[in-house]
């Protein structure tokens, strides 16, 4: 079983920054997509950012230019640097690692327990 442990969440004022970390118990090279998702109260979980094996990144429009996803293969860790935070960024943030086949099938799909990010106005 693969374990993902997120850290770095907390309470921050609008305009501030936080860096989330996701430590994975297996080599992240086993997965071709690593990402971050978030879920605000009363809303569905939504995509935030992903990074693939080649280093290509993808971001939700709402966070482009403010958030940066990265990974350290040697440390089996995925990061999310969040700058210029807004109250609407308040949510539980979840880390995900997955192997997506050429046919688009998600296999070896693992999630962390989440870390709370609260942005005050």
């Amino acid at each position: 079983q693969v374990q993902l442990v997120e850290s770095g969440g907390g309470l921050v004022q609008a305009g501030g920054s936080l860096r989330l970390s996701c430590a994975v118990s297996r080599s992240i090279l086993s997965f071709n997509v690593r990402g971050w998702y978030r879920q605000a109260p009363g809303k569905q979980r939504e995509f935030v950012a992903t990074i693939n094996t080649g280093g290509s990144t993808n971001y939700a429009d709402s966070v482009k230019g403010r958030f940066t996803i990265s990974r350290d293969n040697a440390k089996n860790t995925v990061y999310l640097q969040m700058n210029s935070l807004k109250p609407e960024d308040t949510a539980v943030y979840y880390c995900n690692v997955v192997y997506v086949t050429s046919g688009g099938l998600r296999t070896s799909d693992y999630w962390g327990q989440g870390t709370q990010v609260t942005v005050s106005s």
Side-chain angles (χ1 to χ4, degrees):
Q1 185 69 13
V2 178
Q3 293 184 331
L4 286 70
V5 179
E6 299 106 332
S7 61
L11 173 64
V12 64
Q13 288 188 331
S17 298
L18 285 173
R19 188 195 195 202
L20 305 184
S21 298
C22 173
V24 183
S25 63
R26 181 190 292 178
S27 170
I28 61 174
L29 294 176
S30 302
F31 310 96
N32 55 7
V33 180
R34 309 95 179 178
W36 289 93
Y37 295 75
R38 67 187 182 186
Q39 187 168 16
K43 296 186 177 181
Q44 291 188 333
R45 189 173 298 187
E46 65 176 8
F47 160 77
V48 175
T50 56
I51 184 168
N52 68 15
T53 300
S56 295
T57 57
N58 191 25
Y59 296 93
D61 288 343
S62 59
V63 307
K64 279 181 181 177
R66 300 188 298 122
F67 290 11
T68 303
I69 188 171
S70 61
R71 85 285 194 222
D72 186 327
N73 294 334
K75 295 182 178 180
N76 295 324
T77 301
V78 185
Y79 303 98
L80 185 69
Q81 177 67 44
M82 305 186 295
N83 298 328
S84 302
L85 283 161
K86 304 175 181 180
E88 51 263 44
D89 294 319
T90 295
V92 177
Y93 283 71
Y94 296 91
C95 180
N96 170 252
V97 293
V98 60
Y99 185 86
V100 182
T101 69
S102 57
L105 182 65
R106 295 174 66 93
T107 66
S108 302
D109 194 355
Y110 298 96
W111 294 84
Q113 293 299 306
T115 185
Q116 177 70 46
V117 171
T118 303
V119 184
S120 63
S121 57

